Amino acid sequence: ETKPTPPTPQQQANAFVVNHYSKAFALAQRYGDTRNAINALYNVLAEYPQNDSLLYTLSYLYFENNNSAQAVLVSKDLLTVNPEHLGGLEIAAVSYEKLGIKDKALDAYESLYLKSTDYEVLYKVAFLQYDLQRLGECNTNIDILLKHPNADTLKVYYTDANYYAGFIALQKKDFPLALSCFEIASNNVAYASL
């Protein structure tokens, strides 16, 4: 029977440091001290820079504290390590949007939708496409949302999709369609369904 190789003194020292800063992180979180939680997390990340859980935690801490630029930077590193990380994509998308970088936000939301097929994400994609005047793509996605089998019961936290369809129709000078879309949207506004 083979015995495991005992850890080297350097490995023991590294384990001690990681354990110490992990405890410091937990304490800082417990007391709501974000600055020291982030500091402790950086010390653990120094040992494990490719750990997607640590990167996600750091990006989330930045996001939660309205540090959108840092949240984007960390989420980009996270997505380099794990391109399939849905949480990292979501943090990147929302943070880009908060920074007003709508084209990058749209790219991140589109990637998130392709990986999750979440209708709320598709709604956000259509919303940003409308803002960026990508009306053809926006209209296509609104059609997909309105044709969803559960379109009558789907709920989102934004305005009714018919509202955006109405604006697109207005820009195309299709006034009867615009009026119809706005009427449908106004009837749905109380419960914000699709």
Side-chain angles (χ1 to χ4, degrees):
E1 190 173 312
T2 316
K3 290 184 178 179
T5 308
T8 66
Q10 183 62 47
Q11 289 171 326
Q12 288 176 335
N14 290 350
F16 174 79
V17 167
V18 167
N19 185 42
H20 169 79
Y21 282 109
S22 295
K23 288 178 182 177
F25 172 79
L27 281 170
Q29 284 288 90
R30 179 177 168 187
Y31 297 126
D33 185 349
T34 303
R35 185 177 51 84
N36 281 311
I38 289 171
N39 185 44
L41 196 53
Y42 271 115
N43 283 288
V44 178
L45 264 168
E47 284 300 313
Y48 302 101
Q50 299 296 306
N51 184 303
D52 63 349
S53 294
L54 294 173
L55 288 166
Y56 177 70
T57 301
L58 182 59
S59 69
Y60 184 79
L61 283 173
Y62 279 131
F63 173 78
E64 188 177 60
N65 288 281
N66 295 315
N67 295 316
S68 298
Q70 291 88 347
V72 164
L73 292 172
V74 177
S75 65
K76 284 175 63 174
D77 285 349
L78 166 60
L79 294 169
T80 299
V81 171
N82 182 356
E84 303 300 313
H85 199 287
L86 297 181
L89 274 170
E90 185 174 15
I91 286 176
V94 175
S95 297
Y96 275 127
E97 188 177 8
K98 283 183 174 185
L99 291 168
I101 307 172
K102 292 181 181 180
D103 57 333
K104 294 280 191 186
L106 177 58
D107 290 344
Y109 277 119
E110 286 173 336
S111 294
L112 182 59
Y113 177 70
L114 291 174
K115 294 176 188 324
S116 70
T117 65
D118 182 337
Y119 76 92
E120 288 185 35
V121 174
L122 184 58
Y123 194 92
K124 195 64 178 170
V125 166
F127 178 81
L128 284 166
Q129 287 168 333
Y130 177 80
D131 275 356
L132 293 168
Q133 295 298 298
R134 291 168 56 175
L135 302 180
E137 295 167 82
C138 176
N139 205 36
T140 299
N141 287 324
I142 287 173
D143 285 344
I144 291 168
L145 287 166
L146 292 173
K147 290 176 183 170
H148 190 282
N150 299 326
D152 292 337
T153 59
L154 295 176
K155 304 281 188 255
V156 294
Y157 300 106
Y158 312 106
T159 309
D160 188 289
N162 286 290
Y163 177 75
Y164 294 105
F167 275 114
I168 291 171
L170 270 180
Q171 290 183 342
K172 292 180 179 178
K173 302 203 183 308
D174 187 343
F175 300 113
L177 177 60
L179 180 60
S180 172
C181 290
F182 288 136
E183 285 174 353
I184 293 168
S186 69
N187 290 333
N188 291 338
V189 89
Y191 51 88
S193 77
L194 292 174

